[in-house]
Amino acid sequence: MKFTADLSRAHQLDAQDELASFRDRFVLSDPDLIYLDGNSLGRLPKATVRHLGEAIEHQWGERLIRGWNEGWFQKPHELGAKIAQLIGAQPDEVVVGDTTSINLFKLVVAALRAYPGRKKIVSDELNFPSDLYVFQGVIDLLAAGHELELIPSRDTISIQREDVEATLGEDTALLALTHVAFKSAFMYDMEHITKLAHQAGGLALWDLSHSVGAVPLKLNAWDVDLAVGCTYKYLNGGPGSPAFLYVRRELQEQLMQPIWGWFATKAPFDFNLDFTPAEGMSRFQISTPQVLSMLGLEPALDILLEAGMDRLREKSVRQTEYLIFLAREWLLPLGFSLGSPLDSAQRGSHVSLRHPEGYRISRAMIESPPLDRDVATQAGPDRPGTPAVIPDFRTPDNIRLGIAPLYTSFTDIHRALGRMREIVTEGIYREYSKKRLEVT
Ligand SMILES: *Cc1c(COP(=O)(O)O)cnc(C)c1O
């Protein structure tokens, strides 16, 4: 695909985009807000506003406790079956509930206890720190001599296959990795790496938080054992929406998670005094599901299924390539560097641009226009105002630009990078403080 840097090319790419109409399914209240943080918190689907409002009014308001037998009880499995379609799994291999970190804890304990003779968890230096903390906490809790070994990154962006191979060994119980790295968007070849874990005799667990809804996944075909993932990023489930977990069918009866709540039992409403684990995915649940949060996720999943993961990935690749093209034209000469893999086969759906002043530049992008600049008066139908651009910042110098192909347009990307160029060439970022906010 041939790109040029003029705005008319962005308009043309939008006109040719067969997924462009999905943008209208989302609440976009401010035309001058360019949202490139769908990889942290996805946008609100219009259908969710109606669906949740109606659920609160009628299901909770009128049906009250009867709601449990009218769909709530099965909701974690029903939504799990929808997510299964997005990740290439069977409907009875996925259940929704709890948070990603809690699900990770459950599955790591289950996996380590299934391999008592093996003492090593292998992960990597690019992993999301919360995942690494969970591993460390499990090791501390089990007090059985386990160790965590991290595969090093040679360039802080990617991980080499040979380094994965060299870290795995006969003592490996579990290889636990995040499919798409949160800072650099480096993406593993999940099929190949899973095979390496199996050759070493261990299980493979993948955190899909930065890939589900952005990249087609084939967990069954790739022989993946275990997975967790979050639903408030590319799945657009809303702040704090429940996570999911996947357990390959043949492993379900062999593994047991450590928090034995009543929803993990065979018959919660028999109220037996002794715990008997449920069959299938129910044993990986703990207790009462977060019903309203689950209902908030429902319409969002339907939109993704309608758009189709292959088409979404194709658009995402075209958009990250376009973003990198513009970055090379406009930003690399200004001191930015690319913090993501150049090869789209090794890249998820966001692009990191690094700059020594990354933090202040990101503040200037978000708080635009600055209070003492009167740019709003220049706005009009033909001349949009200075856009506020929302990326996120990841220490020390990464500005992450997330592409959510359901609602990101090529024009968004063009305007966002144009604004970044202006912020640096005009020194606008200098008006902002270096002091970091609590959430970046
Ligand atoms: C977003 C994300 C999480 C989120 O964990 P929570 O338990 O929902 O806070 C976990 N792991 C990875 C890799 C993530 O990107």
Side-chain angles (χ1 to χ4, degrees):
M1 168 129 347
K2 187 90 185 71
F3 295 127
T4 58
D6 49 313
L7 181 61
S8 62
R9 184 68 180 127
H11 291 327
Q12 208 175 46
L13 289 164
D14 282 328
Q16 291 163 357
D17 170 19
E18 57 171 9
L19 296 176
S21 65
F22 279 95
R23 188 175 166 92
D24 294 334
R25 308 278 190 94
F26 292 85
V27 174
L28 283 94
S29 45
D30 178 358
D32 283 327
L33 177 73
I34 296 173
Y35 191 65
L36 297 179
D37 210 5
N39 55 314
S40 270
L41 176 67
R43 275 190 181 274
L44 168 63
K46 288 175 183 165
T48 305
V49 178
R50 291 191 297 272
H51 189 66
L52 258 186
E54 124 90 25
I56 289 171
E57 204 174 325
H58 300 294
Q59 296 187 30
W60 180 12
E62 292 166 13
R63 302 308 297 161
L64 291 162
I65 194 98
R66 292 170 287 189
W68 285 108
N69 281 321
E70 293 169 2
W72 297 348
F73 193 76
Q74 286 303 325
K75 205 49 79 179
H77 299 282
E78 200 186 303
L79 295 181
K82 288 188 184 198
I83 290 176
Q85 291 182 58
L86 296 174
I87 65 174
Q90 301 302 306
D92 59 355
E93 291 178 320
V94 182
V95 71
V96 171
D98 303 319
T99 68
T100 307
S101 304
I102 293 171
N103 286 335
L104 192 63
F105 173 81
K106 293 189 290 192
L107 292 187
V108 171
V109 172
L112 294 184
R113 293 184 64 199
Y115 283 79
R118 290 173 170 247
K119 296 298 182 196
K120 208 158 78 174
I121 306 176
V122 173
S123 190
D124 73 41
E125 275 183 1
L126 301 180
N127 205 348
F128 192 61
S130 182
D131 289 26
L132 302 179
Y133 306 153
V134 168
F135 306 149
Q136 292 164 29
V138 169
I139 290 170
D140 183 64
L141 178 76
L142 295 181
H146 288 98
E147 275 174 53
L148 172 63
E149 190 168 345
L150 300 184
I151 308 159
S153 168
R154 300 181 191 190
D155 59 359
T156 73
I157 290 177
S158 60
I159 302 278
Q160 305 295 314
R161 265 180 206 194
E162 313 79 277
D163 294 337
V164 180
E165 228 163 337
T167 315
L168 291 166
E170 55 185 28
D171 202 21
T172 305
L174 182 66
L175 174 65
L177 297 169
T178 292
H179 183 215
V180 170
F182 80 109
K183 270 190 204 174
S184 71
F186 166 72
M187 180 166 73
Y188 277 108
D189 176 341
M190 193 186 289
E191 181 175 22
H192 183 81
I193 301 295
T194 298
K195 207 171 275 162
L196 294 180
H198 290 165
Q199 278 163 6
L203 292 173
L205 186 164
W206 291 93
D207 186 330
L208 310 177
S209 293
H210 268 89
S211 42
V212 64
V215 181
L217 298 162
K218 301 191 169 81
L219 266 56
N220 284 165
W222 298 340
D223 221 11
V224 171
D225 303 301
L226 305 165
V228 297
C230 115
T231 67
Y232 48 77
K233 294 172 180 163
Y234 295 104
L235 298 190
N236 308 311
S241 60
F244 64 90
L245 62 79
Y246 155 92
V247 180
R248 184 153 61 83
R249 194 182 278 152
E250 305 87 86
L251 286 174
Q252 290 172 12
E253 304 306 312
Q254 295 168 39
L255 299 184
M256 186 55 212
Q257 56 88 7
I259 306 173
W260 295 4
W262 61 321
F263 276 59
T265 62
K266 235 186 177 93
F269 287 87
D270 283 357
F271 296 106
N272 288 322
L273 297 188
D274 288 316
F275 180 83
T276 312
E279 279 156 23
M281 289 306 286
S282 292
R283 65 168 60 198
F284 298 98
Q285 292 184 278
I286 298 175
S287 52
T288 311
Q290 306 93 323
V291 175
L292 289 180
S293 300
M294 285 192 192
L295 295 174
L297 173 60
E298 205 158 35
L301 293 179
D302 290 334
I303 296 173
L304 276 158
L305 289 171
E306 185 186 335
M309 285 315 308
D310 289 332
R311 287 201 300 171
L312 286 166
R313 172 64 177 166
E314 202 183 303
K315 177 173 173 186
S316 152
V317 169
R318 217 177 316 130
Q319 292 194 308
T320 53
E321 297 273 295
Y322 179 59
L323 192 158
I324 291 170
F325 167 82
L326 291 179
R328 286 176 138 174
E329 291 281 305
W330 293 344
L331 301 181
L332 301 200
L334 300 177
F336 283 90
S337 64
L338 181 64
S340 295
L342 204 48
D343 174 7
S344 64
Q346 290 193 8
R347 189 175 67 233
S349 199
H350 67 274
V351 175
S352 273
L353 296 176
R354 307 173 77 160
H355 190 284
E357 285 289 355
Y359 184 67
R360 289 206 285 177
I361 296 169
S362 74
R363 290 317 308 163
M365 290 163 73
I366 295 166
E367 292 163 31
S368 174
L371 295 175
D372 58 352
R373 275 175 173 257
D374 184 21
V375 277
T377 50
Q378 301 166 8
D382 302 323
R383 194 195 157 110
T386 303
V389 182
I390 302 190
D392 62 17
F393 176 79
R394 288 294 175 261
T395 186
D397 58 359
N398 290 277
I399 299 176
R400 288 196 308 183
L401 304 168
I403 300 294
L406 275 177
Y407 51 76
T408 303
S409 67
F410 288 87
T411 306
D412 282 346
I413 297 169
H414 191 277
R415 290 179 76 195
L417 269 70
R419 178 65 183 152
M420 288 173 80
R421 174 174 61 169
E422 185 177 70
I423 284 167
V424 175
T425 53
E426 295 182 17
I428 296 169
Y429 67 89
R430 292 200 198 97
E431 297 167 31
Y432 292 84
S433 165
K434 290 187 180 179
K435 193 170 172 303
R436 304 268 166 99
L437 295 174
E438 206 166 6
V439 175
T440 63

